[in-house]
Amino acid sequence: MPKLRFKDDDKKKKKDKHRHSHHKRHKEKPYKPPTLYEEESGWVPPSTSTKYDPDQAWRERLFEAMIDDEGQDPFYSQYTESYHQPTMDDEEYRQYIVDGMYRRKHADEIAEKERRKAEKEKRKQEKERARKEQERLERVYQQLETQRKQESSKASFIEKWNKLESLQTIHKKDVPWPMIGREFTLEAVRQFVIDPTLSEAENKKNVRKEQARYHPDKFVTRYMKRFEGSDKEKERVMTHINEISGFLNELWSQMNTT
């Protein structure tokens, strides 16, 4: 009786044969890891294509030497900053290094110069402060002097006006003038009539009062009839009366337009 073969046995043999052949093919082609790029013929890695630069090597050695001295060189930070400046050419960089080495070697001398410079600047500032203080004191003195003259002039002014009413004969020296000093100017009249400590309304009242006193027609009617003196003195008095009246009118106009 012939021997029977089952279908499952045939499938198992075929599977083992396929596995054996696949393993054989795998050994024939060794594994090659994948690459991120495909190498081209003639390509050279960048590390081997860079040429040797003696200047760059000198800079690197100099920089390493400065690193060794870090913490002792007060100008170290300046060196490192200049090392990274791309706009500095070789000659400028060399000169900067030379200057830095000079400053390092003469650090005490440079520090002394800086100290003297600071002291000189301090003396200059103190002198300027003294000058400003002197100017301030002079302004205060001028204000006090003006105030003193104003008070003195007003006291004399009031006294003369009180006498003027009762005098039977009036001379040139008896006529009071509402101003500070001897010059007949608008500013002299302003300093006398305008009191900065008073309100605007009170100052206006004072100006109106003096306008009435020095109105040319009224002054002639009330006082010049009793005036004794030469025609020249009389003419001079009337000239000053007209000037004072004009200054008072100008002050009044300014006070009402501001």
Side-chain angles (χ1 to χ4, degrees), residues 5 20 23 29 39 70-71 79 144 149 154 160 182 185 187 193 220 238 242 245 249 253:
R5 293 182 179 181
H20 178 73
H23 181 69
K29 294 182 179 180
E39 296 183 359
E70 183 179 0
Y79 293 152
L144 293 175
K149 289 181 179 180
K154 285 186 176 181
K160 282 187 175 183
R182 296 178 177 273
T185 63
E187 189 61 29
V193 178
V220 169
M238 289 307 304
N242 289 325
S245 178
N249 292 337
S253 177

Side-chain angles (χ1 to χ4, degrees), residues 102-133:
Y102 175 84
R103 290 192 297 270
R104 179 183 177 185
K105 184 177 180 180
H106 300 81
D108 294 339
E109 181 181 350
I110 294 175
E112 179 63 20
K113 288 182 179 180
E114 292 295 331
R115 186 187 64 80
R116 290 197 298 266
K117 182 179 179 181
E119 290 181 352
K120 183 178 179 181
E121 183 64 22
K122 183 179 179 181
R123 289 194 299 269
K124 181 179 178 181
Q125 293 177 357
E126 291 177 351
K127 186 177 180 180
E128 182 66 16
R129 284 195 294 268
R131 183 186 66 80
K132 291 182 178 180
E133 179 64 16

Side-chain angles (χ1 to χ4, degrees), residues 55-69:
D55 293 335
Q56 180 66 21
W58 176 79
R59 292 193 187 96
E60 292 177 356
R61 288 196 300 272
L62 180 61
F63 183 68
E64 291 174 357
M66 289 189 294
I67 290 178
D68 295 337
D69 293 336

Side-chain angles (χ1 to χ4, degrees), residues 210-221:
E210 300 306 326
Q211 281 180 314
R213 279 177 172 176
Y214 290 92
H215 189 280
D217 294 338
K218 292 182 179 180
F219 194 88
V220 169
T221 301

Side-chain angles (χ1 to χ4, degrees), residues 180-231:
I180 301 296
R182 296 178 177 273
E183 297 292 332
F184 286 81
T185 63
L186 174 62
E187 189 61 29
V189 175
R190 185 198 308 277
Q191 291 179 4
F192 182 88
V193 178
I194 304 300
D195 189 345
T197 62
L198 300 179
S199 65
E200 183 179 0
E202 290 175 321
N203 279 319
K204 284 184 176 181
K205 183 178 179 180
N206 291 336
V207 172
R208 293 297 288 175
K209 181 179 179 180
E210 300 306 326
Q211 281 180 314
R213 279 177 172 176
Y214 290 92
H215 189 280
D217 294 338
K218 292 182 179 180
F219 194 88
V220 169
T221 301
R222 296 188 63 179
Y223 305 108
M224 293 306 292
K225 292 180 179 180
R226 291 179 284 156
F227 185 83
E228 285 189 3
S230 63
D231 293 340

